[in-house]
Amino acid sequence: MIVNARLCHSISSGTMCLLCFVILCAFAYAKFSDLNGDVAGFAPAYQGDGSFEIVIIKEFDKELKLQDKVKVMQWSTSEEVEGDTGKIRMSGLTIAPHFQGVFSIDISEGYDVRAMEENLP
């Protein structure tokens, strides 16, 4: 997936999209780097108002259990965004072998999403 940084910078929800994409890439590398040839695909999408969905397609025999911890960071500074991580809602944390699932994250109750979208550098 190629993300045009200039496009994400000019669209208010683009920052959220890019932030999710970067976090997802780091998570995917850490989680799947030792699968030895097993195949997994990801398709993240920002739904608006602090809600993200990540479609996960996996072609391996192991059940996938995602962690329920999310860290929201400002992409331009790599600093953690102030908020209440305990109020982040997630669903779809377990995906069965050889199955496609949707992992949903909603940060709207723990973070001021409007302020995050307005505070673009």
Side-chain angles (χ1 to χ4, degrees):
M1 172 183 285
I2 298 174
V3 176
N4 183 327
R6 189 169 289 188
L7 176 63
C8 285
H9 183 62
S10 66
I11 301 173
S12 63
S13 64
T15 298
M16 298 298 291
C17 178
L18 183 60
L19 175 67
C20 182
F21 178 75
V22 170
I23 290 172
L24 177 64
C25 288
F27 170 77
Y29 177 78
K31 187 72 176 172
F32 298 109
S33 63
D34 61 341
L35 290 178
N36 296 329
D38 292 332
V39 178
F42 302 88
Y46 182 58
Q47 303 296 316
D49 296 325
S51 179
F52 301 88
E53 285 188 350
I54 304 164
V55 176
I56 302 172
I57 302 169
K58 51 192 234 33
E59 302 282 332
F60 50 93
D61 296 328
K62 300 175 187 174
E63 181 177 71
L64 177 63
K65 293 184 180 182
L66 301 172
Q67 294 182 359
D68 61 352
K69 297 175 184 170
V70 173
K71 189 181 283 190
V72 179
M73 301 179 74
Q74 175 68 31
W75 70 272
S76 62
T77 63
S78 298
E79 293 180 12
E80 191 169 350
V81 176
E82 188 175 324
D84 186 352
T85 58
K87 292 184 178 180
I88 294 174
R89 292 180 299 173
M90 291 175 267
S91 63
L93 296 171
T94 302
I95 301 173
H98 298 285
F99 195 72
Q100 174 177 317
V102 177
F103 175 54
S104 299
I105 305 169
D106 186 350
I107 65 169
S108 63
E109 291 183 18
Y111 292 86
D112 186 353
V113 176
R114 300 266 186 251
M116 290 169 65
E117 290 176 347
E118 291 173 4
N119 288 331
L120 294 174

